Structures are given as structure tokens and as C-alpha cells.
Amino acid sequence: MAEARLYTEYKDNIISNLREQFEYANIMAVPKLQKIVINCGVGEAVENEKRLDTVVDNVGKITGQHPVTTKAKKSISNFKTREGMPIGCKVTLRKKQMYEFLDRLINLALPRTRDFQGVPDKSFDGRGNYTLGIKEHTIFPEINTEEVDEIHGLDVTFVTSAETDEEAYSLLKEFGMPFQKRN
């Protein structure tokens, strides 16, 4: 079984580039991508449970892995939710699937976004993780746009072993993440 293209790129080039840039003494100190979590909250699932099923199918097609449905932790009367109601789904990708998803996201999906200027570089959490909100799931080539009745968004979180946002930014930049030009 062949390795993912971006993983080979990481081992061959990115590790040495980051070691030069941040002057790590040990190769194990170089930040790496640990997992990618795709989360999708479906507020309409309260009234229409079939809506959640279509979102689960779409996220499954996009990631190639069956999502876990997430349930409400608390009952909130204003949103008509009860504790334990299914209200979303999430998928955690690791290893080969993670690198292949990242490759598809950077090279296929993001360039298909309308009026794409690059992804914002302000969505780091202070601990080296980056979250990207995608407004339309139809940018992924796995989704057939003729069959789509409603468009939903999803959140993609990149969990890295970097300790600072600057290290995580450099890691994702090396992978080819199209960040907006800083002014």
C-alpha cells in the first residue's frame, strides 16, 4: 500500500525546512499533523431528522469514513432541543486518510470555492490548532451537485503537535495551505 503524497512530502522536505526555520535540536520536536476533525452541526435536525441523515451521507462521501452522530448535551427550550437528541455529526481522520483528505482539500476543494482569496490566518487557537469553516459542502468533488437539495457547511479542525500558532502556521503553509496574503 503506497503512502499518501503529502506524508512523503512531509518526511522528505517539510521536516528539514521546519528544522532550519525554527532550529529544533531534536527531530521529534518538529511539529506534525496529528488529526483532522470534520464537524457539522445540523440545527434543522430538531424538526427534520431526515436532514441529519443526508448530512451524515455527505460527510461520509467527503471523508471516506462513516461519521459519528453527536447528541445534545443539554435541553434548551429556545432551540426546542432535548438532551440526547441527535443534532450533528463528526469524523476524526488520522494517518493516511488524514493526509489524503488534506491533499484533496488544498488541491481540489478550496480552489473550487467561489471568489476564493485564500483561507484566513486568524483562526488559530493559541495552542497550534487551526479551524477552518467551509460554507458549502458542494466544493468537494465527491458531492454530485445535481443531487443536492440543501447546502450545509462544515468545520475542519487541524490538530497539530505545534506549541505555538507560528509553528502551526508554518507547518500548514509547507503543506500548501493557501493562506491569505498578510498586509
Side-chain angles (χ1 to χ4, degrees):
M1 205 150 103
E3 284 184 338
R5 188 182 69 82
L6 281 182
Y7 182 62
T8 311
E9 172 75 15
Y10 175 75
K11 286 196 311 192
D12 296 347
N13 303 327
I14 296 175
I15 289 177
S16 56
N17 292 350
L18 290 174
R19 268 188 92 172
E20 279 175 31
Q21 187 179 349
F22 292 104
E23 297 166 1
Y24 296 114
N26 189 338
I27 197 164
M28 297 305 283
V30 177
K32 59 178 170 278
L33 202 55
Q34 291 175 325
K35 63 184 175 180
I36 296 177
V37 181
I38 294 96
N39 178 40
C40 190
V42 187
E44 300 92 67
V46 176
E47 286 94 33
N48 183 0
E49 295 215 2
K50 285 191 174 66
R51 178 89 173 97
L52 183 64
D53 296 339
T54 59
V55 172
V56 166
D57 287 344
N58 287 335
V59 174
K61 281 181 196 166
I62 289 168
T63 59
Q65 190 170 306
H66 188 72
V68 176
T69 56
T70 53
K71 295 181 172 34
K73 290 181 182 175
K74 289 181 175 178
S75 299
I76 301 171
S77 61
N78 288 351
F79 298 135
K80 297 185 176 81
T81 60
R82 294 281 153 254
E83 188 176 329
M85 277 177 106
I87 53 167
C89 63
K90 69 174 185 175
V91 178
T92 303
L93 301 175
R94 296 173 199 269
K95 300 191 173 143
K96 186 177 179 189
Q97 281 185 307
M98 168 183 74
Y99 286 106
E100 286 175 352
F101 175 78
L102 181 63
D103 203 357
R104 286 197 318 267
L105 179 73
I106 291 170
N107 298 316
L108 297 174
L110 289 177
R112 289 176 58 167
T113 309
R114 267 188 265 133
D115 305 326
F116 185 63
Q117 301 289 318
V119 295
D121 57 4
K122 296 182 174 28
S123 303
F124 288 94
D125 67 350
R127 291 193 165 79
N129 303 320
Y130 179 71
T131 302
L132 170 67
I134 296 174
K135 290 189 175 80
E136 297 182 4
H137 73 288
T138 54
I139 63 171
F140 288 95
E142 294 87 355
I143 301 295
N144 186 353
T145 48
E146 277 90 51
E147 296 170 8
V148 173
D149 48 353
E150 275 192 67
I151 292 174
H152 61 82
L154 28 104
D155 293 323
V156 182
T157 303
F158 302 94
V159 179
T160 70
S161 62
E163 291 179 9
T164 65
D165 290 347
E166 188 186 348
E167 292 172 3
Y169 177 82
S170 297
L171 174 67
L172 291 173
K173 190 89 178 141
E174 288 284 337
F175 275 124
M177 185 66 79
F179 287 107
Q180 289 171 343
K181 302 283 183 278
R182 289 183 168 169
N183 295 337

